Amino acid sequence: MALPWRLCRRWSASAGRCPALARRVAAAAPRASCPAAPGRGAEFHLLPSGRSAPSLARHKASFLDPTPQPCVRKKIHSDAKLKDPFSLAQKDLKHLYDDIKKELFVSKVELRSLCDYYFDGKGKALRPMIIVLMARALNIHSDRDGDLLPGQRSIAMISEMIHTASLVHDDVIDGSDQRRGKKTISDVWGERKAILAGDFILSAASMALARIGNNTVVLVLSQVLEDLVRGEFMQLGSKENENERFKHYLEKTFKKTASLIANSCKAVSILVNSDPEVHEIAYQYGKNVGIAFQLVDDVLDFTSSAGRLGKPSAADLRLGLATGPVLFACQQFPELHAMIMRRFSSKGDVDRAWQYVLKSDGVEQTSFLAQRYCREAVRQVSLLRPSAERDALIRLTEMVLTRDK
């Protein structure tokens, strides 16, 4: 879904004032140009000066590279034909949480209660849904029927287990008392038991991964665990150099959020197709959707109420984190630089930073950056053979941009 052209114009104006930031973001963000919707939209061109300018030219319906590809689609479906991701994935996800609880079953009642706490069926299950849809799309692309292979189904389950374990540990690190609209595990049972529960979930996920019996898949998903730890360490630090700060933010975002989706999508492709180019398509879709999802999450921290988001508003600022809206706002309000370096620790920093962000176009700029990542995700997945699941993955990018929690 394209953002209003007013935002594109504001981006151009801001880039003109801050060419250095424009160049940094342009270097980090996807470079592909593609329309936001079939027959309507704009390309995002990077000018030699570092300024960005939208084009209002009409396009034929295509999200593809101009260079020939072995599996290029000729035409993209209209929005009316794009399938609902939740409906298509529902059958495969129906028993997801029951299967996870079976993996986590232990005789000790308290440990079982801790491990089952977040697997109550009330989560979005976004990651398993993406993986299920990607697996089915890849199966069809590889001249098979769309049904999931047992290993692909396991990867969807494992991804949710790894994600949830990371949330348990994050809540301990951040001292959070609320997650998904209820008390955190660490708040209910204490930090020590929460850490052990997170470790146990990871160990069960590792055992399920080993049972798949594919060494390459094990290697790919092991990368996720390394990225999660490295991303958490990156979040604990700050960059003094403003030129490196945005790059640091996007790299941390990939490691903490997008790596799990990207590598899980790659893993399900490995099980069905030996072509490295197909593996890369799956990986790039997951990477770009994952980064866009986190960018939108960072926007919602400023625009959504605490009740709707399921966690306190301004949570990132209170944790000392400078996310996309703050980094963009810093270009208009240099006073934010000192606050970022002291991680908003002085009295009144959080409130002042909040106001600076709302006065700036930082929220809109971050939303526009998320749109660019979603466009690249669409371009990548559009290289697969047409299927309802592939179109649902395209539809999902719009849902990522327009979600409110």
Short mmCIF file of all heavy atoms in Angstrom, two decimals, residues 194-227:
data_model
loop_
_atom_site.label_atom_id
_atom_site.label_comp_id
_atom_site.label_asym_id
_atom_site.label_seq_id
_atom_site.Cartn_x
_atom_site.Cartn_y
_atom_site.Cartn_z
N ALA A 194 12.51 -17.29 34.66
CA ALA A 194 12.22 -16.86 33.29
C ALA A 194 13.40 -17.19 32.37
O ALA A 194 13.21 -17.68 31.24
CB ALA A 194 11.93 -15.36 33.25
N ILE A 195 14.61 -16.92 32.83
CA ILE A 195 15.80 -17.24 32.02
C ILE A 195 15.88 -18.74 31.75
O ILE A 195 16.14 -19.18 30.62
CB ILE A 195 17.08 -16.76 32.73
CG1 ILE A 195 17.11 -15.23 32.78
CG2 ILE A 195 18.33 -17.30 32.04
CD1 ILE A 195 18.21 -14.66 33.65
N LEU A 196 15.62 -19.54 32.76
CA LEU A 196 15.67 -20.99 32.59
C LEU A 196 14.58 -21.47 31.63
O LEU A 196 14.79 -22.38 30.83
CB LEU A 196 15.52 -21.68 33.95
CG LEU A 196 16.70 -21.50 34.91
CD1 LEU A 196 16.35 -22.08 36.29
CD2 LEU A 196 17.96 -22.16 34.36
N ALA A 197 13.40 -20.86 31.72
CA ALA A 197 12.31 -21.23 30.82
C ALA A 197 12.68 -20.90 29.37
O ALA A 197 12.44 -21.70 28.46
CB ALA A 197 11.02 -20.50 31.21
N GLY A 198 13.27 -19.72 29.15
CA GLY A 198 13.71 -19.36 27.80
C GLY A 198 14.75 -20.32 27.28
O GLY A 198 14.70 -20.74 26.11
N ASP A 199 15.69 -20.71 28.15
CA ASP A 199 16.71 -21.68 27.75
C ASP A 199 16.09 -23.03 27.40
O ASP A 199 16.50 -23.70 26.44
CB ASP A 199 17.73 -21.87 28.89
CG ASP A 199 18.60 -20.64 29.10
OD1 ASP A 199 18.61 -19.77 28.21
OD2 ASP A 199 19.26 -20.56 30.16
N PHE A 200 15.10 -23.44 28.18
CA PHE A 200 14.46 -24.73 27.93
C PHE A 200 13.72 -24.73 26.59
O PHE A 200 13.77 -25.72 25.85
CB PHE A 200 13.49 -25.06 29.07
CG PHE A 200 12.89 -26.44 28.96
CD1 PHE A 200 13.61 -27.56 29.34
CD2 PHE A 200 11.62 -26.61 28.45
CE1 PHE A 200 13.07 -28.84 29.22
CE2 PHE A 200 11.06 -27.87 28.33
CZ PHE A 200 11.79 -28.99 28.72
N ILE A 201 13.05 -23.62 26.28
CA ILE A 201 12.35 -23.51 24.99
C ILE A 201 13.34 -23.60 23.85
O ILE A 201 13.11 -24.28 22.84
CB ILE A 201 11.54 -22.21 24.92
CG1 ILE A 201 10.41 -22.21 25.96
CG2 ILE A 201 10.94 -22.02 23.52
CD1 ILE A 201 9.71 -20.87 26.11
N LEU A 202 14.49 -22.93 23.99
CA LEU A 202 15.52 -23.00 22.95
C LEU A 202 16.08 -24.41 22.81
O LEU A 202 16.34 -24.87 21.69
CB LEU A 202 16.66 -22.03 23.28
CG LEU A 202 16.42 -20.55 22.98
CD1 LEU A 202 17.63 -19.72 23.42
CD2 LEU A 202 16.16 -20.33 21.49
N SER A 203 16.26 -25.10 23.92
CA SER A 203 16.80 -26.46 23.84
C SER A 203 15.81 -27.39 23.15
O SER A 203 16.21 -28.25 22.34
CB SER A 203 17.13 -26.98 25.24
OG SER A 203 15.94 -27.20 26.00
N ALA A 204 14.51 -27.22 23.43
CA ALA A 204 13.50 -28.05 22.77
C ALA A 204 13.45 -27.74 21.27
O ALA A 204 13.29 -28.65 20.44
CB ALA A 204 12.13 -27.80 23.41
N ALA A 205 13.61 -26.46 20.92
CA ALA A 205 13.64 -26.08 19.51
C ALA A 205 14.85 -26.69 18.81
O ALA A 205 14.76 -27.15 17.66
CB ALA A 205 13.67 -24.55 19.37
N SER A 206 15.99 -26.73 19.49
CA SER A 206 17.21 -27.31 18.91
C SER A 206 17.04 -28.81 18.67
O SER A 206 17.51 -29.35 17.65
CB SER A 206 18.40 -27.06 19.84
OG SER A 206 18.62 -25.66 20.00
N MET A 207 16.38 -29.49 19.58
CA MET A 207 16.16 -30.93 19.41
C MET A 207 15.22 -31.19 18.22
O MET A 207 15.44 -32.11 17.43
CB MET A 207 15.58 -31.52 20.69
CG MET A 207 16.57 -31.53 21.85
SD MET A 207 15.84 -32.14 23.40
CE MET A 207 15.57 -33.85 22.96
N ALA A 208 14.18 -30.36 18.10
CA ALA A 208 13.27 -30.51 16.96
C ALA A 208 13.99 -30.22 15.65
O ALA A 208 13.75 -30.88 14.63
CB ALA A 208 12.07 -29.56 17.13
N LEU A 209 14.90 -29.25 15.68
CA LEU A 209 15.69 -28.92 14.49
C LEU A 209 16.59 -30.09 14.09
O LEU A 209 16.70 -30.43 12.90
CB LEU A 209 16.53 -27.67 14.77
CG LEU A 209 17.49 -27.20 13.68
CD1 LEU A 209 16.75 -26.89 12.40
CD2 LEU A 209 18.27 -25.96 14.17
N ALA A 210 17.22 -30.73 15.07
CA ALA A 210 18.10 -31.86 14.77
C ALA A 210 17.33 -33.01 14.13
O ALA A 210 17.86 -33.72 13.27
CB ALA A 210 18.79 -32.32 16.05
N ARG A 211 16.08 -33.20 14.53
CA ARG A 211 15.28 -34.30 14.00
C ARG A 211 14.93 -34.12 12.53
O ARG A 211 14.56 -35.09 11.85
CB ARG A 211 13.99 -34.46 14.82
CG ARG A 211 14.22 -35.09 16.18
CD ARG A 211 12.92 -35.66 16.75
NE ARG A 211 11.92 -34.62 16.93
CZ ARG A 211 11.78 -33.87 18.02
NH1 ARG A 211 12.61 -34.04 19.04
NH2 ARG A 211 10.83 -32.98 18.10
N ILE A 212 15.03 -32.90 12.01
CA ILE A 212 14.76 -32.68 10.58
C ILE A 212 15.77 -33.46 9.74
O ILE A 212 15.47 -33.94 8.65
CB ILE A 212 14.79 -31.18 10.24
CG1 ILE A 212 13.62 -30.47 10.93
CG2 ILE A 212 14.73 -30.95 8.72
CD1 ILE A 212 13.62 -28.97 10.75
N GLY A 213 17.01 -33.57 10.25
CA GLY A 213 18.00 -34.41 9.61
C GLY A 213 18.68 -33.80 8.40
O GLY A 213 19.21 -34.54 7.56
N ASN A 214 18.69 -32.48 8.30
CA ASN A 214 19.35 -31.81 7.18
C ASN A 214 20.40 -30.86 7.74
O ASN A 214 20.06 -29.87 8.39
CB ASN A 214 18.33 -31.05 6.34
CG ASN A 214 18.93 -30.45 5.07
OD1 ASN A 214 19.84 -29.64 5.14
ND2 ASN A 214 18.41 -30.85 3.91
N ASN A 215 21.67 -31.17 7.50
CA ASN A 215 22.75 -30.39 8.09
C ASN A 215 22.75 -28.94 7.63
O ASN A 215 23.09 -28.03 8.40
CB ASN A 215 24.11 -31.03 7.78
CG ASN A 215 24.31 -32.34 8.51
OD1 ASN A 215 23.70 -32.58 9.55
ND2 ASN A 215 25.17 -33.19 7.97
N THR A 216 22.39 -28.70 6.38
CA THR A 216 22.36 -27.33 5.86
C THR A 216 21.29 -26.51 6.57
O THR A 216 21.50 -25.34 6.92
CB THR A 216 22.12 -27.32 4.34
OG1 THR A 216 23.09 -28.15 3.70
CG2 THR A 216 22.21 -25.91 3.79
N VAL A 217 20.14 -27.12 6.78
CA VAL A 217 19.06 -26.43 7.50
C VAL A 217 19.49 -26.13 8.93
O VAL A 217 19.23 -25.03 9.45
CB VAL A 217 17.78 -27.30 7.49
CG1 VAL A 217 16.75 -26.75 8.48
CG2 VAL A 217 17.19 -27.34 6.09
N VAL A 218 20.17 -27.07 9.57
CA VAL A 218 20.66 -26.84 10.93
C VAL A 218 21.62 -25.66 10.95
O VAL A 218 21.55 -24.79 11.83
CB VAL A 218 21.35 -28.10 11.49
CG1 VAL A 218 22.05 -27.80 12.82
CG2 VAL A 218 20.33 -29.22 11.68
N LEU A 219 22.50 -25.59 9.98
CA LEU A 219 23.48 -24.50 9.90
C LEU A 219 22.78 -23.16 9.69
O LEU A 219 23.12 -22.15 10.34
CB LEU A 219 24.46 -24.78 8.76
CG LEU A 219 25.61 -23.78 8.59
CD1 LEU A 219 26.51 -23.79 9.81
CD2 LEU A 219 26.41 -24.10 7.33
N VAL A 220 21.80 -23.13 8.81
CA VAL A 220 21.09 -21.88 8.50
C VAL A 220 20.35 -21.37 9.72
O VAL A 220 20.41 -20.17 10.06
CB VAL A 220 20.11 -22.10 7.32
CG1 VAL A 220 19.15 -20.93 7.20
CG2 VAL A 220 20.89 -22.27 6.02
N LEU A 221 19.63 -22.24 10.42
CA LEU A 221 18.86 -21.79 11.57
C LEU A 221 19.73 -21.55 12.80
O LEU A 221 19.35 -20.78 13.69
CB LEU A 221 17.76 -22.80 11.89
CG LEU A 221 16.61 -22.84 10.88
CD1 LEU A 221 15.54 -23.83 11.30
CD2 LEU A 221 15.99 -21.46 10.71
N SER A 222 20.91 -22.16 12.84
CA SER A 222 21.85 -21.85 13.93
C SER A 222 22.34 -20.41 13.81
O SER A 222 22.65 -19.76 14.82
CB SER A 222 23.04 -22.81 13.89
OG SER A 222 22.63 -24.14 14.14
N GLN A 223 22.40 -19.90 12.58
CA GLN A 223 22.80 -18.52 12.36
C GLN A 223 21.84 -17.56 13.06
O GLN A 223 22.23 -16.49 13.54
CB GLN A 223 22.85 -18.22 10.87
CG GLN A 223 23.30 -16.80 10.51
CD GLN A 223 24.74 -16.54 10.93
OE1 GLN A 223 25.62 -17.35 10.65
NE2 GLN A 223 24.98 -15.42 11.60
N VAL A 224 20.57 -17.95 13.14
CA VAL A 224 19.57 -17.11 13.80
C VAL A 224 19.94 -16.89 15.26
O VAL A 224 19.86 -15.76 15.78
CB VAL A 224 18.17 -17.77 13.69
CG1 VAL A 224 17.16 -16.98 14.52
CG2 VAL A 224 17.74 -17.84 12.24
N LEU A 225 20.35 -17.95 15.94
CA LEU A 225 20.68 -17.84 17.36
C LEU A 225 21.88 -16.92 17.57
O LEU A 225 21.91 -16.11 18.50
CB LEU A 225 20.96 -19.22 17.94
CG LEU A 225 19.80 -20.22 17.86
CD1 LEU A 225 20.22 -21.57 18.44
CD2 LEU A 225 18.57 -19.69 18.55
N GLU A 226 22.86 -17.05 16.69
CA GLU A 226 24.02 -16.15 16.78
C GLU A 226 23.60 -14.70 16.54
O GLU A 226 24.02 -13.79 17.28
CB GLU A 226 25.09 -16.55 15.76
CG GLU A 226 26.30 -15.63 15.77
CD GLU A 226 27.33 -15.98 14.71
OE1 GLU A 226 27.37 -17.14 14.29
OE2 GLU A 226 28.07 -15.07 14.30
N ASP A 227 22.76 -14.48 15.54
CA ASP A 227 22.31 -13.12 15.23
C ASP A 227 21.52 -12.51 16.39
O ASP A 227 21.65 -11.31 16.68
CB ASP A 227 21.46 -13.10 13.96
CG ASP A 227 22.30 -13.28 12.70
OD1 ASP A 227 23.53 -13.09 12.77
OD2 ASP A 227 21.73 -13.61 11.65
#
